[in-house]
Amino acid sequence: MGVREAYNQWAPTYDADRNLTRDLDALVTRTTVAAVPCTRILELGCGTGKNTAFLAQLGAHVHALDFADAMLARARAKVPHAHVTFIVADLTAPWPCGDQAVDLVVCNLVLEHIADLHFIFAEAYRCMAAHGHLFACELHPFRQYLGAQAMFQREQAQIAIPACVHHISDFLHAATHAGFRLTALKEWWHCDDQNAPPRLVSFLWEK
Ligand SMILES: C[S@@+](CC[C@H](N)C(=O)[O-])C[C@H]1O[C@@H](n2cnc3c(N)ncnc32)[C@H](O)[C@@H]1O
């Protein structure tokens, strides 16, 4: 099953399933992004709008992209605000966003599904105004080395969603190559993660 179809199938239970990674990401995003100055926000892979609801409180305009219709339908219902637009878009093709149109790009738990990081960082750089920020929070590759990946249960089957491993150096290299300057790199554990490698890694870059 491909990534888009998998998320369309996961959509009805994505918010309710037990998922410590999703919950930790929500906490990390709320504690980290609140301090970043922004008015125009672009969210990549918004899913069911878990973080869009928070971003809508921060920005005057929020533009949220995802390629899974069923995930987007849930996001639209959750965040029905006039200043938030949801658009069906594949992040591996040029994004429906103007040059220098936003001052914050946010990306959570998406990049494990995208092989070419260089394209993502180049598009983020193109869409971002000078001195804007890119915040990304992703499954830590240490977890992937141990076999973790996005998955969900359907009836008796465990469905693993196609994913690729990006090492920390891959993120840093692709971002630097696009022109970004790293301002923070943090590793995160859920309070239930005892003696385990970090669950998430977050990055804040500035243009
Ligand atoms: C794990 S969910 C994360 C959703 C949301 N960001 C969150 O933190 O809850 C990953 C999302 O990325 C989207 N996605 C994955 N690859 C994509 C692509 N190439 N283009 C657009 N969206 C994509 C999926 O449809 C899904 O909604």
Side-chain angles (χ1 to χ4, degrees):
M1 186 184 302
V3 174
R4 186 194 317 237
E5 175 55 21
Y7 277 105
N8 277 329
Q9 288 202 17
W10 193 359
T13 62
Y14 181 86
D15 288 336
D17 288 349
R18 184 172 191 270
N19 185 337
L20 301 187
T21 302
R22 175 203 61 208
D23 297 345
L24 178 61
D25 173 77
L27 194 64
V28 167
T29 301
R30 280 153 182 75
T31 53
T32 309
V33 175
V36 179
C38 61
T39 52
R40 298 161 297 161
I41 302 173
L42 175 64
E43 185 183 11
L44 311 178
C46 63
T48 61
K50 174 197 82 196
N51 293 329
T52 321
F54 162 69
L55 298 174
Q57 297 168 14
L58 288 186
H61 302 281
V62 179
H63 199 52
L65 312 181
D66 202 291
F67 70 173
D69 299 289
M71 297 291 274
L72 272 179
R74 300 215 158 233
R76 284 196 182 95
K78 191 180 292 169
V79 192
H81 308 316
H83 69 295
V84 180
T85 52
F86 292 100
I87 301 199
V88 181
D90 185 341
L91 298 170
T92 64
W95 302 347
C97 184
D99 294 354
Q100 303 189 25
V102 299
D103 45 30
L104 174 63
V105 177
V106 176
C107 182
N108 298 77
L109 307 178
V110 176
L111 298 178
E112 69 179 287
H113 302 304
I114 294 181
D116 183 3
L117 290 182
H118 285 280
F119 180 79
I120 299 297
F121 283 99
E123 278 294 90
Y125 196 86
R126 176 187 68 75
C127 295
M128 191 179 292
H131 309 297
H133 291 86
L134 168 59
F135 174 76
C137 184
E138 294 291 329
L139 181 62
H140 201 298
F142 290 175
R143 292 280 178 142
Q144 294 182 295
Y145 303 156
L146 299 175
Q149 76 180 95
M151 59 175 66
F152 64 103
Q153 187 87 23
R154 267 304 158 271
E155 294 161 3
Q156 303 311 317
Q158 187 83 349
I159 299 175
I161 305 179
C164 43
V165 175
H166 298 301
H167 309 292
I168 298 289
S169 56
D170 295 334
F171 289 108
L172 298 181
H173 178 249
T176 303
H177 187 258
F180 286 107
R181 185 176 63 84
L182 182 70
T183 62
L185 187 164
K186 295 184 180 173
E187 296 170 313
W188 304 88
W189 288 258
H190 190 278
C191 54
D192 285 0
D193 293 335
Q194 290 186 354
N195 303 315
R199 181 177 288 271
L200 295 176
V201 57
S202 71
F203 307 88
L204 186 65
W205 287 281
E206 186 173 359
K207 178 169 178 178

